[in-house]
Amino acid sequence: MPADPLAWLDAELDALARRDLLRRLRTYDGPQRSAFKLDNRQVVNFGSNDYLGLAADGRLALAAAQAANEQGFGAGASPLVVGHSRALERLELRLAEFEGTEAALVFASGFAANSGVIPALAAEGDAVYSDALNHASIVDGCRLSRAAVYVYQHANVAALEKMLQAGRGFRRRLIVTDSLFSMDGDLAPLAELAELAERYDCMLMTDEAHATGVFGRQGRGAAEHLGAEAGVHVRVGTLSKALGGMGGFAAGRRSLIEWLANRARSYVFSTALPPPAAAAAVAALDIVRDEPARRRELLARSADLLGRLRVQGWRIGPTAGQIIPVIVGESARAVELSAALAARGFWAPAIRPPSVPDGEARLRISLSWAHDTEMIDGLVASLGELAM
Ligand SMILES: *Cc1c(COP(=O)(O)O)cnc(C)c1O
């Protein structure tokens, strides 16, 4: 028998399982709602990034169905090859209007946006300064860029400034950061970063994936909330979290968007977002504009929940909003806690390395506007039992 060249896979999977790091895919029935049936068990859903309760909103489904009826489902090819659909053109105009920028460009996902935008902005001879807790898609974008990459300690403006002072002789420099960190829920110091970018003549790019629709008076995100929008040159966001759909985007001045449409490889060499997804995103942006109470109520309830969990003695990171990390340390403990909660009817995923550093495993509670008081009270009561 010849050796099996894939035999190493079983060994590696076993090794992951022994370290409590093996992920198993679950299946849910019906729509993504604040309560749903996961692996045939009815649970309240504190795992979704559907912060405004739009993923299952009938208005998005209707907009998508209408677009599918009129324009079909598929987009056919890359937008540069066959053009972009009316629905996608409309979405890009709406995104620019929403963001208050000259233009916007839609990618297949937020991951595609980050992994394409960074290499389009920085290449060999350039430098990228990246927060240590930035999302994997930013990390990959940095790697793909072939620029010199400097990872600065999380949210540490002084450490970044030292690096900026030391880093001379580059052609161009880019600072990139999540605006609301996905695993800790804290905000980046965007006003300070904008100041540094200006002082050291750097581009500043923010990824508002978790803040779009939630933070800011008009729901544009953390930069709006912190009054730092003017200093952000490149805004990236996703349509797949608070906006309840699928797709990613970049927004900024017209020349930036034109450059990205020519040079971002994940845009150029990938099929355009289908018309139904574009139409659903426009419907979601309408709701963000017309129902600002959703984001206000969500943040108020998040602050309330945070206070109640802290009183129970849980170690919770410096979260600023709807992402509440309950840090328990070892992966096994996080998995145990998640399972114990699930048995009580509440789903909150265990987040383990490599999503977070070793010894920082946690339960990640994502609050949605769609959670009612009873659901939140139930979660608090269950966590109270498990804390003892
Ligand atoms: C989820 C996420 C992305 C990726 O967005 P998708 O649209 O889901 O691909 C990018 N950046 C951050 C910070 C995220 O949390």
Side-chain angles (χ1 to χ4, degrees):
M1 276 262 287
D4 175 3
L6 294 183
W8 62 272
L9 288 169
D10 295 311
E12 291 289 348
L13 288 169
D14 285 347
L16 283 182
R18 278 197 302 277
R19 289 154 60 211
D20 297 299
L21 293 179
L22 190 66
R23 270 77 162 175
R24 190 177 60 77
L25 199 54
R26 295 171 174 80
T27 303
Y28 67 87
D29 289 292
Q32 268 293 325
R33 285 198 207 283
S34 53
F36 70 161
K37 217 171 177 187
L38 184 62
D39 275 355
N40 296 312
R41 173 155 57 189
Q42 185 67 27
V43 287
V44 182
N45 180 4
F46 287 103
S48 175
N49 301 316
D50 180 27
Y51 302 127
L52 297 179
L54 299 185
D57 190 295
R59 290 168 286 184
L60 273 66
L62 187 65
Q66 271 171 354
N69 281 332
E70 289 161 17
Q71 301 177 53
F73 185 81
S78 157
L80 295 184
V81 176
V82 289
H84 59 190
S85 61
R86 277 289 167 216
L88 186 49
E89 177 189 54
R90 183 151 171 254
L91 171 59
E92 287 174 337
L93 292 171
R94 271 301 301 277
L95 279 168
E97 186 192 351
F98 172 68
E99 292 287 339
T101 57
E102 286 178 3
L105 192 71
V106 169
F107 291 74
S109 68
F111 201 108
N114 278 330
S115 58
V117 168
I118 296 170
L121 298 177
E124 213 168 325
D126 301 328
V128 184
Y129 300 85
S130 175
D131 187 288
L133 294 189
N134 276 343
H135 188 260
S137 55
I138 293 180
V139 174
D140 285 8
C142 290
R143 289 175 180 159
L144 288 169
S145 73
R146 300 181 205 222
V149 178
Y150 298 93
V151 176
Y152 60 90
Q153 197 184 34
H154 175 53
N156 189 330
V157 178
L160 171 60
E161 180 161 24
K162 278 210 185 88
M163 287 180 175
L164 290 171
Q165 281 167 346
R168 305 258 171 230
F170 293 108
R171 182 184 56 163
R172 291 195 283 264
R173 301 200 288 175
L174 170 71
I175 301 168
V176 59
T177 185
D178 279 24
S179 72
L180 184 72
F181 286 88
S182 48
M183 295 303 149
D184 292 74
D186 57 329
L187 290 166
L190 293 180
E192 292 82 351
L193 292 177
E195 202 183 305
L196 279 188
E198 188 176 343
R199 189 163 343 130
Y200 291 93
D201 194 23
C202 298
M203 301 175 280
L204 177 59
M205 167 174 160
T206 59
D207 175 0
E208 297 268 16
H210 291 278
T212 301
V214 176
F215 279 81
R217 241 173 60 83
Q218 297 171 82
R220 297 210 285 244
E224 186 189 17
H225 173 71
L226 296 169
E229 285 185 294
V232 176
H233 306 104
V234 187
R235 304 179 187 193
V236 165
T238 179
L239 308 173
S240 58
K241 288 172 179 151
L243 298 179
M246 185 72 209
F249 66 90
R253 73 173 65 168
R254 193 167 306 283
S255 55
L256 168 75
I257 297 310
E258 197 176 343
W259 177 254
L260 294 177
N262 279 274
R263 276 291 184 270
R265 291 167 65 85
S266 58
Y267 179 81
V268 174
F269 295 105
S270 189
T271 300
L273 195 75
V282 170
L285 287 170
D286 286 345
I287 297 171
V288 167
R289 179 193 58 206
D290 298 340
E291 301 179 19
R294 288 190 186 228
R295 55 182 171 274
R296 284 190 224 119
E297 288 170 16
L298 170 61
L299 288 176
R301 287 182 214 159
S302 300
D304 181 60
L305 173 59
L306 180 66
R308 293 167 76 187
L309 295 183
R310 285 214 169 111
V311 166
Q312 291 181 343
W314 295 103
R315 182 184 155 209
I316 296 175
T319 180
Q322 78 283 16
I323 298 172
I324 302 182
V326 178
I327 300 168
V328 297
E330 293 312 309
S331 294
R333 172 83 180 107
V335 172
E336 242 171 56
L337 189 59
S338 178
L341 267 185
R344 288 166 166 80
F346 301 92
W347 173 244
I351 307 286
R352 292 161 271 171
S355 305
V356 293
D358 280 324
E360 295 268 304
R362 63 198 62 188
L363 212 62
R364 182 178 178 278
I365 298 168
S366 299
L367 208 59
S368 167
W369 175 82
H371 291 122
D372 61 27
T373 310
E374 195 184 328
M375 292 169 170
I376 297 172
D377 289 350
L379 175 74
V380 171
S382 289
L383 276 169
E385 288 166 26
L386 293 165
M388 291 188 285

